[in-house]
Amino acid sequence: MLTGCSLWPKEFADLYRKEGCWRGETFGGMLRERAKSQGKRIAITSGERNISYAELDKRVDRLAAGFQTLGIKKMDRVVVQLPNVVEFFEVCFALFRLGALPVFALPSHRSSEINYFCEFSEAVAYIIPDIYSGFDYRALAREAKSKVCTLQHVIVTGSSEGFLSLTDLYAEPIMNEADVKPGDVAFLQLSGGSTGLSKLIPRTHDDYIYSLRVSDDICRINQDSVYLAVLPVAHNFPLSSPGVLGTLYAGGRVVLSPGPSPDEAFPLIEKERVTITALVPPLALTWLEAIATRAYDLASLQVLQVGGAKFSAEAARRIRPAFGCTLQQVFGMAEGLVNYTRLDDSEETIVNTQGRPMSEYDEIRVVDEDDLDVKPGEVGQLLTRGPYTIRGYYKAEEHNAKAFTSDGFYRTGDLVRVTESGYIVVEGRDKDQINRGGEKIAAEEVENHLLAHEAVHDAAVVSMPDEFLGERSCAFVIPRHQTFTAGELKKFLKARGLATFKIPDRIEFTESFPYTPLGKVSKKALRQIIAEKLAARTTTY
Ligand code: J2J
């Protein structure tokens, strides 16, 4: 077992097994089974390339052999930072088969995040594209390699420039299969983070596959389903709700979109007869705008999922008339719990709620600041526990004591209310995080970077309202003495290797911060200051 992980106590593990949630499957075994039962069917479509389940299975075996030759073995961590390409699947399943653990970085992460993921997970390898979306990932690899002593291999898809080429690793399959157990941790997923850096989330084969099976059932994914992967597949939503893995679990077909724009996605929906896809709210707005002016036939689309951030009821109401399909709101988290509106729910439920827990074994509590249950229908903090919700982050004992209750409920940091029919409405957040259209920013992480600037005396990062993204980030900065511009500060953050989406959209210089009666910086007051300032600017008299 991977050290640094607290999984479920025995009585819960026994229960989830007894109730048939955890059925003893592994990802490696799942692909093998699909290859046997429906080998000729297409698993993944990427551009003109169609890969069958049998072919995928074979290529995964060959890559696993190559990884093994490099010395990658059970429980080794491997940071995987790949976009929506076939290699993402081959790499992940090859690692799953060896019992090695992918650590899922997003394509938008830069050196600050990557160095930390490699270092913290003690990764032995880092797998990247050569260039993607105009960015050269080999530069990130060079830096990580020079800084992280555990990192032995950098593996590149495309032009490898002195690193290992992924293509060269596909070898003759070795028959001695690793002893991978369903209860083993399969990979480390990333948390959105609220205190400092992203935490790593250990997910087991058993618990994740359970979440795929239930998601497939709720979203009616089967062999005929065609899932279009628009969001970066390493993110938990397109990965598992039901996402690409749920689709492969059901024997359906995954179509990879090179990007999220309507001009890339709409022709693919028409050509590949896509039945379901998943978007974050700002993308859904872009698609809603675009559909009126594009002449593609999107009639195959049955379900349009929207999640990752709150989708406004006004926009939600426009989905069915515009796309002629069902909207499904998805409120989930990489730590586990996923809520879905059901496909046959009334339009009012679909438009006005963020769904209900997917599993009958999900336990939900809505509590006040003293952890006491609020009255039914009142807003409170959402706590949850269940067969696919983690019991602790990886190597984070101190943080776990705060992020989980003593009886194992995860403190989601979301403020919600539960309707009479058991549906959840997200009303806000009680965590120090900005949700920038689905991309999560831990305020403290950005503040620490700002504080590293010699001219910054203090910094506080908060959200500000934005019509398109829902929220953007605003940094309030108290300068030490000399004057410098917001532009300089943003450049400084970029040079420190911070992912672009985390660089504050706006910087407000100030002489002091408002404080709470307890002497803490009042982020609530700061949010109000910036919101009022923005409102004043947009008000016309
Ligand atoms: C409001 N807030 C939401 C929603 C997530 C499926 C879907 C999403 C994620 C995800 C995921 C929201 N309305 N519909 O992993 O499997 C905010 C909440 C939540 C946090 C989790 C999945 N859907 N959120 O977004 O780990 O604040 O997962 O706690 O990235 O996003 O973020 P993340």
Side-chain angles (χ1 to χ4, degrees):
M1 185 40 69
L2 185 66
T3 50
C5 292
S6 37
L7 300 178
W8 292 261
K10 185 174 179 312
E11 80 237 54
F12 284 90
D14 287 347
L15 174 76
Y16 299 146
R17 261 184 224 109
K18 182 171 138 272
E19 294 297 319
C21 305
W22 300 351
R23 294 193 185 162
E25 293 169 279
T26 63
F27 282 105
M30 150 194 152
L31 178 61
R32 181 82 79 229
E33 199 288 320
R34 297 299 171 275
K36 268 193 202 135
S37 62
Q38 53 171 68
K40 288 212 177 88
R41 291 181 68 101
I42 303 300
I44 305 172
T45 300
S46 178
E48 294 307 311
R49 216 172 140 196
N50 282 308
I51 296 171
S52 69
Y53 278 92
E55 195 185 344
L56 180 63
D57 184 55
K58 212 183 270 168
R59 288 183 62 81
V60 164
D61 269 346
R62 297 184 60 207
L63 188 56
F67 284 157
Q68 219 168 15
T69 314
L70 289 181
I72 296 175
K73 57 183 190 311
K74 192 170 172 188
M75 293 302 160
D76 278 350
R77 272 80 64 200
V78 175
V79 175
V80 177
Q81 188 181 27
L82 290 173
N84 293 5
V85 291
V86 174
E87 288 86 348
F88 174 88
F89 297 85
E90 296 180 348
V91 162
C92 290
F93 277 98
L95 294 173
F96 291 151
R97 247 177 212 166
L98 293 175
L101 278 58
V103 180
F104 288 125
L106 295 171
S108 55
H109 286 134
R110 294 294 177 260
S111 61
S112 168
E113 292 88 13
I114 295 300
N115 293 344
Y116 161 70
F117 298 150
C118 290
E119 178 116 43
F120 188 75
S121 70
E122 299 164 89
V124 298
Y126 172 39
I127 307 185
I128 49 169
D130 48 4
I131 294 174
Y132 170 71
S133 229
F135 182 78
D136 191 339
Y137 287 81
R138 293 162 299 195
L140 289 185
R142 259 175 241 118
E143 192 178 330
K145 193 97 200 312
S146 72
K147 288 194 167 150
V148 182
C149 58
T150 55
L151 198 59
Q152 295 165 36
H153 311 289
V154 170
I155 303 166
V156 185
T157 66
S159 163
S160 57
E161 278 190 353
F163 294 122
L164 292 169
S165 162
L166 187 79
T167 322
D168 293 343
L169 291 183
Y170 293 80
E172 271 314 301
I174 305 169
M175 288 322 285
N176 56 340
E177 294 217 348
D179 175 28
V180 181
K181 298 207 169 57
D184 287 344
V185 174
F187 56 83
L188 296 170
Q189 185 54 283
L190 303 182
S191 78
S194 53
T195 55
L197 299 157
S198 284
K199 301 287 175 292
L200 302 187
I201 298 171
R203 300 291 302 256
T204 64
H205 295 263
D206 255 341
D207 92 76
Y208 213 65
I209 289 179
Y210 171 63
S211 84
L212 301 181
R213 202 168 59 240
V214 181
S215 296
D216 279 351
D217 186 39
I218 289 171
C219 304
R220 298 186 200 149
I221 301 293
N222 56 39
Q223 282 195 350
D224 298 323
S225 300
V226 183
Y227 179 92
L228 182 69
V230 168
L231 301 171
V233 285
H235 185 269
N236 202 59
F237 181 17
L239 190 66
S240 69
S241 300
V244 292
L245 292 181
T247 303
L248 295 178
Y249 185 80
R253 180 160 68 99
V254 169
V255 176
L256 300 176
S257 181
S261 75
D263 290 327
E264 289 163 296
F266 287 3
L268 273 177
I269 297 176
E270 178 179 284
K271 177 166 178 249
E272 305 294 348
R273 310 304 295 153
V274 168
T275 59
I276 178 169
T277 188
L279 304 176
V280 285
L283 257 182
L285 293 178
T286 306
W287 283 30
L288 275 169
E289 286 310 308
I291 194 159
T293 56
R294 309 290 201 286
Y296 293 105
D297 172 10
L298 308 186
S300 59
L301 209 53
Q302 294 163 7
V303 181
L304 189 68
Q305 298 183 301
V306 179
K310 178 95 181 235
F311 196 34
S312 76
E314 302 82 72
R317 212 176 281 288
R318 292 167 56 202
I319 294 289
R320 187 187 286 280
F323 288 91
C325 70
T326 309
L327 164 69
Q328 180 176 50
Q329 293 217 39
V330 190
F331 162 42
M333 52 208 73
E335 286 82 356
L337 179 72
V338 180
N339 303 276
Y340 294 103
T341 55
R342 304 308 200 253
L343 303 189
D344 55 3
D345 276 340
S346 72
E347 196 65 10
E348 283 315 297
T349 302
I350 290 175
V351 163
N352 291 309
T353 80
Q354 278 64 60
R356 63 183 162 88
M358 70 161 137
S359 162
E360 60 189 293
Y361 301 100
D362 282 321
E363 296 174 70
I364 294 292
R365 286 184 64 202
V366 183
V367 302
D368 63 16
E369 274 159 17
D370 298 320
D371 277 356
L372 299 171
D373 292 301
V374 299
K375 290 203 190 84
E378 280 185 3
V379 176
Q381 302 167 15
L382 176 67
L383 310 183
T384 184
R385 185 168 82 168
Y388 62 99
T389 296
I390 56 162
R391 291 302 188 109
Y393 293 104
Y394 176 58
K395 288 202 301 192
E397 218 171 297
E398 211 175 297
H399 180 70
N400 285 342
K402 289 184 237 142
F404 295 82
T405 63
S406 55
D407 55 353
F409 278 80
Y410 166 56
R411 298 182 190 276
T412 66
D414 292 311
L415 295 176
V416 305
R417 66 184 164 84
V418 178
T419 66
E420 257 173 38
S421 43
Y423 281 72
I424 294 179
V425 179
V426 180
E427 296 285 3
R429 200 175 314 126
D430 186 32
K431 51 186 166 188
D432 202 7
Q433 189 185 74
I434 294 110
N435 189 335
R436 195 177 182 277
E439 291 187 302
K440 317 301 185 310
I441 304 166
E444 193 184 313
E445 181 182 2
V446 182
E447 287 158 7
N448 286 337
H449 280 282
L450 285 165
L451 288 169
H453 193 291
E454 54 176 11
V456 172
H457 171 68
D458 207 351
V461 177
V462 295
S463 65
M464 56 183 186
D466 182 80
E467 213 175 300
F468 180 60
L469 291 177
E471 294 171 16
R472 284 183 195 262
S473 65
C474 175
F476 283 86
V477 170
I478 304 178
R480 218 177 267 288
H481 36 76
Q482 73 257 51
T483 48
F484 54 102
T485 64
E488 279 162 17
L489 211 45
K490 287 187 190 184
K491 254 193 220 144
F492 170 78
L493 294 179
K494 192 156 193 243
R496 286 178 67 83
L498 195 62
T500 308
F501 72 88
K502 296 183 188 170
I503 294 179
D505 292 290
R506 186 178 173 116
I507 294 176
E508 289 280 306
F509 292 104
T510 176
E511 280 175 10
S512 63
F513 292 146
Y515 287 94
T516 65
L518 289 174
K520 275 174 65 180
V521 174
S522 170
K523 293 214 160 171
K524 194 173 163 198
L526 287 175
R527 279 195 293 271
Q528 207 168 336
I529 290 169
I530 188 62
E532 280 169 11
K533 200 164 176 177
L534 293 175
R537 194 169 282 183
T538 50
T539 310
T540 45
Y541 294 98

